[in-house]
Amino acid sequence: MVELEVDVEYCTSRNIPIIRRQVGGGTVYLDEWQQFYHIIIRDEDPLAKLNIEDFFRELLKPVVKFYRSYGLPATYKPVNDVVINGRKASGNGAAKLHNSMVLIGNVIMDFNAEEASKVLRVPDVKLRDKLARSMKEWVTSLKNELGYIPSREEVVKKLKETFESELNVDLVESYLTPEELSELNTVKQYMSSREWLYGDLLGKEYLMMRYVPGQRVVKIREGHYIAYVDYRSSKTIRLIVELEGGRLRNIVISGDFFIQPTNSLPIIEKEIIGYELKELLSSKRSLISEVFGRYVFKSSGISPEDIVNALNKVVETLNTYGVYI
């Protein structure tokens, strides 16, 4: 849900591309002061068969070792972070793509909290400075920890060494072939398209047309409302819920959780549309568990109970606006 996450106008004015990635996780700001890595593991490898939390734990051991090679007290923090004294030093995402499990992540060499706070959507511009201060408190970097920024060559060399030693592999330097470069351009064009960027909101654009930052409930007419709710469990679940006469007319579920397959969410949404919200939260609670169990293979940060709790928060939010269903 791009408009709920990103200040599209600011990004457009600064020529900052907005990319919807295929792996799970929340919205992140990427720039040249980060070193990225990708790990691709075929399905037949035992590592690919791990649950998501164990997958992250094993695959982030090299990243922890990388930071410790600088004498920094890095540790793995479930589900998908490497932290130094409680502050994020590396954020990661994962997904099953085609016949492989893929992990992507970064080493934060330096961090521009002010710029990062400008690209993210905030309910009120007055909160932007507070967001920047908060980011400085919970995100760290090599520059912040060491007092200087190591050269990229050194960072890449150390990452290569720690991945080789921890995963017991030999990494071979290689370059993209002309065919791969051609395919890369094709993929880039598609992933810059409106169809990909807006994803599940295509055909549901009207759910965002009346959205105002900070406004949680929009009245269409008597008995017909759209609610925008964030529910925080171990991860954030974001809902856009359209209710008419107390019945679920439409719903979009997103957040910084991890779920496989990635296309299971639209199926879950479709399965619960048409029910009265009260039904989903009472006698029909088992419906969400049943649908979730039927279509979801792996997940972390989202469960049937989390979805129920998020829907309960929709009810609470409606009540604060004087709407009772």
Side-chain angles (χ1 to χ4, degrees):
M1 292 180 279
V2 180
E3 282 82 2
L4 291 180
E5 302 276 357
V6 177
D7 190 326
V8 177
E9 184 177 342
Y10 179 82
C11 291
T12 301
S13 69
R14 299 301 180 96
N15 294 317
I16 299 174
I18 302 171
I19 304 295
R20 176 183 164 225
R21 54 185 177 169
Q22 292 175 286
V23 299
T27 303
V28 293
Y29 171 65
L30 310 180
D31 63 14
E32 70 274 18
W33 294 111
Q34 299 170 54
Q35 176 60 49
F36 303 98
Y37 47 83
H38 293 66
I39 307 170
I40 303 170
I41 301 179
R42 296 287 189 180
D43 283 345
E44 57 267 23
D45 191 293
L47 285 172
K49 302 180 189 301
L50 296 173
N51 64 50
I52 289 179
E53 290 187 21
D54 288 339
F55 181 78
F56 277 121
R57 183 177 291 106
E58 289 301 312
L59 271 295
L60 292 180
K61 285 180 179 178
V63 184
V64 170
K65 186 173 182 179
F66 163 84
Y67 281 106
R68 289 182 178 176
S69 72
Y70 283 101
L72 301 173
T75 56
Y76 164 68
K77 179 182 178 182
V79 175
N80 58 316
D81 293 331
V82 173
V83 301
I84 298 173
N85 296 321
R87 300 170 71 186
K88 179 186 287 193
S90 170
N92 300 266
K96 177 176 170 57
L97 301 175
H98 307 293
N99 61 345
S100 301
M101 279 295 294
V102 178
L103 180 143
I104 65 170
N106 65 345
V107 168
I108 304 174
M109 300 168 68
D110 195 8
F111 183 64
N112 187 337
E114 287 75 17
E115 185 68 5
S117 70
K118 290 176 183 176
V119 304
L120 299 178
R121 171 70 69 187
V122 292
D124 190 318
V125 293
K126 297 176 183 178
L127 298 177
R128 200 172 297 282
D129 288 343
K130 182 179 179 181
L131 176 61
R133 290 195 299 272
S134 296
M135 286 182 173
K136 289 179 180 179
E137 291 175 359
W138 56 262
V139 177
T140 192
S141 65
L142 287 175
K143 181 180 180 181
N144 186 70
E145 298 295 330
L146 300 175
Y148 70 97
I149 304 175
S151 71
R152 189 171 300 276
E153 291 75 18
E154 177 181 299
V155 169
V156 170
K157 180 175 181 294
K158 280 180 173 284
L159 279 173
K160 180 176 181 293
E161 291 170 350
T162 57
F163 273 105
E164 286 182 325
S165 63
E166 288 298 305
L167 301 183
N168 193 28
V169 295
D170 292 320
L171 298 179
V172 178
E173 187 170 351
S174 183
Y175 301 91
L176 294 177
T177 66
E179 292 79 9
E180 288 169 334
L181 285 170
S182 176
E183 179 65 19
L184 177 62
N185 287 328
T186 300
V187 171
K188 181 179 178 181
Q189 289 178 12
Y190 173 68
M191 296 190 74
S192 301
S193 69
R194 179 177 177 83
E195 288 75 18
W196 171 255
L197 189 60
Y198 283 82
D200 298 341
L201 269 175
L202 283 177
K204 303 178 182 180
E205 291 90 343
Y206 71 94
L207 293 175
M208 291 298 303
M209 286 177 62
R210 302 192 185 191
Y211 174 73
V212 177
Q215 183 78 10
R216 291 297 177 180
V217 175
V218 174
K219 181 178 179 180
I220 307 302
R221 56 180 177 273
E222 194 62 40
H224 189 180
Y225 302 91
I226 298 175
Y228 308 88
V229 168
D230 291 345
Y231 170 75
R232 180 73 182 179
S233 181
S234 59
K235 292 290 183 178
T236 298
I237 298 173
R238 175 163 286 170
L239 301 184
I240 301 179
V241 174
E242 181 184 12
L243 291 167
E244 188 170 14
R247 193 174 294 273
L248 200 62
R249 178 171 172 173
N250 225 326
I251 184 170
V252 179
I253 306 171
S254 65
D256 62 351
F257 49 79
F258 302 91
I259 192 167
Q260 297 296 326
T262 54
N263 64 354
S264 57
L265 281 178
I267 300 173
I268 293 172
E269 294 165 358
K270 186 176 180 180
E271 291 275 353
I272 63 177
I273 286 173
Y275 284 91
E276 288 189 358
L277 190 54
K278 285 184 177 180
E279 282 187 285
L280 290 171
L281 298 178
S282 56
S283 61
K284 289 291 183 180
R285 177 178 297 217
S286 60
L287 173 68
I288 293 176
S289 296
E290 177 190 336
V291 172
F292 194 94
R294 191 187 312 155
Y295 297 110
V296 176
F297 175 60
K298 290 182 180 180
S299 67
S300 181
I302 185 171
S303 67
E305 183 179 5
D306 290 328
I307 296 175
V308 170
N309 290 338
L311 288 171
N312 270 313
K313 188 168 181 181
V314 170
V315 175
E316 295 171 6
T317 303
L318 288 166
N319 292 348
T320 63
Y321 281 79
V323 179
Y324 301 90
I325 59 171

